[in-house]
Amino acid sequence: MKPTLLLVDDERGIVEMMKAYFSPQYEILTAYSGQEAMQKAERRPDLILLDINMPGVDGLTVCQTIRAHVACPILFLTARIASADQIAGFQAGADDYIVKPFDLDELAARIAAHLRREQRRMQPSNLRFFGECAVDYSARTVTLHGETVPLSRREFDILELLSLHAGQVFDRERIYELVWGIDGEGSSDTVMEHIRKIRAKLARHTCRSYIETVWGCGYKWNG
């Protein structure tokens, strides 16, 4: 499903130009006055491009009126370039400030960036940091210094188990039971090999030892 843009400007030519440019990628709503913009905002667009200098209800008033009820990014379109005007726009609740005349490609890049940021905000991940190591349990990824550490499914399962219970010692049999299940057809010896591989992969990115062997007992995560 395409994201929806609400394009608001009293200059119809600008609205039609943006509509023609963005319609292949987005669903488009249009408004040519502040009052109409507030009505169209009820349809919950994903992003609003809002002209400031409109007769009657101007863009600042529209933004202030709808901001408490509309969480999507609002980008002001304006010929005003003074810093005081920009500050007024941000104080009204705007997320960005596009100065006319603008380049459509740059505007498209800014829209895409705001939508990506909004998508990340709307999709919180189950993420934990252990020093320079980041474990995203939702995405099932591990990164060290910003580089992804490639782990197999079982390797990640083991790392997940240990890191979610940092400091707790698990013996090989317990790890095998929790990761492979009680009906697993292998043996707990395979846990040693998987942990060896996890350590080797982590060691390519850091000198820190995240998985500690507790002799005679098992393994634990050093968070």
Side-chain angles (χ1 to χ4, degrees), residues 58-207:
D58 65 16
L60 286 172
T61 302
V62 170
C63 188
Q64 290 168 338
T65 302
I66 69 175
R67 183 35 102 194
H69 310 284
V70 175
C72 74
I74 298 176
L75 282 60
F76 273 138
L77 300 172
T78 182
R80 297 178 181 176
I81 57 175
S83 60
D85 293 319
Q86 294 186 32
I87 291 171
F90 289 126
Q91 289 176 336
D95 296 279
D96 207 346
Y97 211 95
I98 312 298
V99 178
K100 297 178 180 178
F102 50 80
D103 180 82
L104 282 171
D105 290 337
E106 180 184 348
L107 177 58
R110 293 225 198 161
I111 289 172
H114 280 284
L115 290 175
R116 285 195 301 270
R117 189 176 301 120
E118 189 70 5
Q119 187 176 34
R120 289 194 298 269
R121 187 185 69 82
M122 298 281 291
Q123 297 176 345
S125 61
N126 185 7
L127 179 69
R128 290 192 186 183
F129 292 96
F130 305 94
E132 71 271 29
C133 178
V135 182
D136 189 328
Y137 300 101
S138 299
R140 294 179 60 83
T141 59
V142 176
T143 56
L144 276 162
H145 302 293
E147 295 186 21
T148 300
V149 179
L151 297 177
S152 70
R153 180 169 67 90
R154 294 298 191 196
E155 289 166 0
F156 184 87
D157 289 342
I158 293 171
L159 185 146
E160 178 181 35
L161 171 65
L162 296 178
S163 63
L164 283 175
H165 302 85
Q168 182 176 340
V169 179
F170 290 84
D171 62 29
R172 287 185 299 165
E173 288 73 20
R174 185 59 175 157
I175 293 173
Y176 187 82
E177 178 183 328
L178 291 171
V179 172
W180 276 264
I182 58 175
D183 296 324
E185 297 180 356
S187 93
S188 61
D189 291 341
T190 192
V191 172
M192 295 176 59
E193 180 62 17
H194 279 76
I195 287 180
R196 184 192 67 78
K197 290 180 179 179
I198 296 169
R199 284 171 165 165
K201 291 178 179 181
L202 295 177
R204 294 170 190 159
H205 303 273
T206 181
C207 294

